[in-house]
mmCIF file of all heavy atoms in Angstrom:
data_model
loop_
_atom_site.group_PDB
_atom_site.id
_atom_site.type_symbol
_atom_site.label_atom_id
_atom_site.label_comp_id
_atom_site.label_asym_id
_atom_site.label_seq_id
_atom_site.Cartn_x
_atom_site.Cartn_y
_atom_site.Cartn_z
ATOM 1 N N ALA Y 49 -36.308 -16.094 -0.446
ATOM 2 C CA ALA Y 49 -35.541 -17.263 0.000
ATOM 3 C C ALA Y 49 -36.437 -18.319 0.643
ATOM 4 O O ALA Y 49 -36.076 -19.503 0.693
ATOM 5 C CB ALA Y 49 -34.455 -16.827 0.980
ATOM 6 N N ASP Y 61 -44.567 -15.796 -2.990
ATOM 7 C CA ASP Y 61 -44.034 -15.120 -1.802
ATOM 8 C C ASP Y 61 -44.519 -13.675 -1.813
ATOM 9 O O ASP Y 61 -45.248 -13.244 -2.710
ATOM 10 C CB ASP Y 61 -42.496 -15.189 -1.775
ATOM 11 C CG ASP Y 61 -41.875 -14.658 -3.058
ATOM 12 O OD1 ASP Y 61 -42.165 -13.495 -3.415
ATOM 13 O OD2 ASP Y 61 -41.111 -15.398 -3.702
ATOM 14 N N SER Y 101 -41.968 -12.845 -13.883
ATOM 15 C CA SER Y 101 -41.496 -12.031 -12.755
ATOM 16 C C SER Y 101 -40.722 -10.814 -13.243
ATOM 17 O O SER Y 101 -40.895 -9.701 -12.737
ATOM 18 C CB SER Y 101 -40.617 -12.873 -11.828
ATOM 19 O OG SER Y 101 -40.099 -12.089 -10.785
ATOM 20 N N SER Y 147 -52.005 -17.114 -16.006
ATOM 21 C CA SER Y 147 -53.121 -17.970 -16.433
ATOM 22 C C SER Y 147 -52.937 -18.485 -17.856
ATOM 23 O O SER Y 147 -53.566 -19.470 -18.251
ATOM 24 C CB SER Y 147 -54.441 -17.197 -16.341
ATOM 25 O OG SER Y 147 -54.461 -16.123 -17.274
ATOM 26 N N ILE Y 181 -45.578 5.567 12.182
ATOM 27 C CA ILE Y 181 -44.217 5.998 12.485
ATOM 28 C C ILE Y 181 -43.981 7.423 11.996
ATOM 29 O O ILE Y 181 -43.428 8.272 12.711
ATOM 30 C CB ILE Y 181 -43.182 5.034 11.852
ATOM 31 C CG1 ILE Y 181 -43.256 3.665 12.532
ATOM 32 C CG2 ILE Y 181 -41.773 5.605 11.965
ATOM 33 C CD1 ILE Y 181 -42.425 2.602 11.861
ATOM 34 N N GLU Y 240 -19.356 57.134 14.728
ATOM 35 C CA GLU Y 240 -20.394 56.779 13.744
ATOM 36 C C GLU Y 240 -20.480 55.269 13.548
ATOM 37 O O GLU Y 240 -21.571 54.702 13.418
ATOM 38 C CB GLU Y 240 -20.098 57.481 12.423
ATOM 39 C CG GLU Y 240 -20.358 58.980 12.465
ATOM 40 C CD GLU Y 240 -19.903 59.690 11.200
ATOM 41 O OE1 GLU Y 240 -19.363 59.005 10.293
ATOM 42 O OE2 GLU Y 240 -20.089 60.916 11.113
ATOM 43 N N SER Y 264 -52.659 41.508 25.155
ATOM 44 C CA SER Y 264 -54.118 41.664 25.109
ATOM 45 C C SER Y 264 -54.543 42.938 24.397
ATOM 46 O O SER Y 264 -55.562 42.964 23.701
ATOM 47 C CB SER Y 264 -54.682 41.651 26.534
ATOM 48 O OG SER Y 264 -54.098 42.692 27.303
ATOM 49 N N ALA Y 287 -40.810 47.233 -2.800
ATOM 50 C CA ALA Y 287 -40.913 46.365 -3.973
ATOM 51 C C ALA Y 287 -40.584 47.133 -5.254
ATOM 52 O O ALA Y 287 -39.886 46.611 -6.140
ATOM 53 C CB ALA Y 287 -42.325 45.774 -4.059
ATOM 54 N N ASN Y 297 -54.751 38.751 -4.139
ATOM 55 C CA ASN Y 297 -56.087 38.211 -4.371
ATOM 56 C C ASN Y 297 -56.676 37.800 -3.025
ATOM 57 O O ASN Y 297 -56.131 36.912 -2.357
ATOM 58 C CB ASN Y 297 -56.022 37.008 -5.320
ATOM 59 C CG ASN Y 297 -57.400 36.403 -5.559
ATOM 60 O OD1 ASN Y 297 -58.387 37.128 -5.673
ATOM 61 N ND2 ASN Y 297 -57.472 35.090 -5.625
ATOM 62 N N THR Y 305 -58.916 35.297 15.899
ATOM 63 C CA THR Y 305 -58.355 36.202 16.906
ATOM 64 C C THR Y 305 -56.834 36.031 16.949
ATOM 65 O O THR Y 305 -56.338 34.905 17.040
ATOM 66 C CB THR Y 305 -58.951 35.890 18.287
ATOM 67 O OG1 THR Y 305 -60.372 36.044 18.232
ATOM 68 C CG2 THR Y 305 -58.389 36.836 19.344
ATOM 69 N N ILE Y 335 -49.774 37.208 -3.594
ATOM 70 C CA ILE Y 335 -50.393 36.973 -2.291
ATOM 71 C C ILE Y 335 -51.832 36.557 -2.526
ATOM 72 O O ILE Y 335 -52.598 37.273 -3.170
ATOM 73 C CB ILE Y 335 -50.349 38.217 -1.384
ATOM 74 C CG1 ILE Y 335 -48.899 38.598 -1.065
ATOM 75 C CG2 ILE Y 335 -51.105 37.955 -0.080
ATOM 76 C CD1 ILE Y 335 -48.276 39.555 -2.015
ATOM 77 N N LYS Y 341 -62.993 24.767 4.102
ATOM 78 C CA LYS Y 341 -63.236 23.831 5.200
ATOM 79 C C LYS Y 341 -62.801 24.394 6.549
ATOM 80 O O LYS Y 341 -62.019 23.792 7.285
ATOM 81 C CB LYS Y 341 -62.504 22.507 4.933
ATOM 82 C CG LYS Y 341 -63.027 21.761 3.724
ATOM 83 C CD LYS Y 341 -62.290 20.455 3.518
ATOM 84 C CE LYS Y 341 -62.824 19.702 2.305
ATOM 85 N NZ LYS Y 341 -62.094 18.430 2.079
#
Side-chain angles (χ1 to χ4, degrees):
D61 54 56
S101 177
S147 66
I181 293 172
E240 288 173 359
S264 58
N297 179 39
T305 301
I335 297 90
K341 295 181 180 179

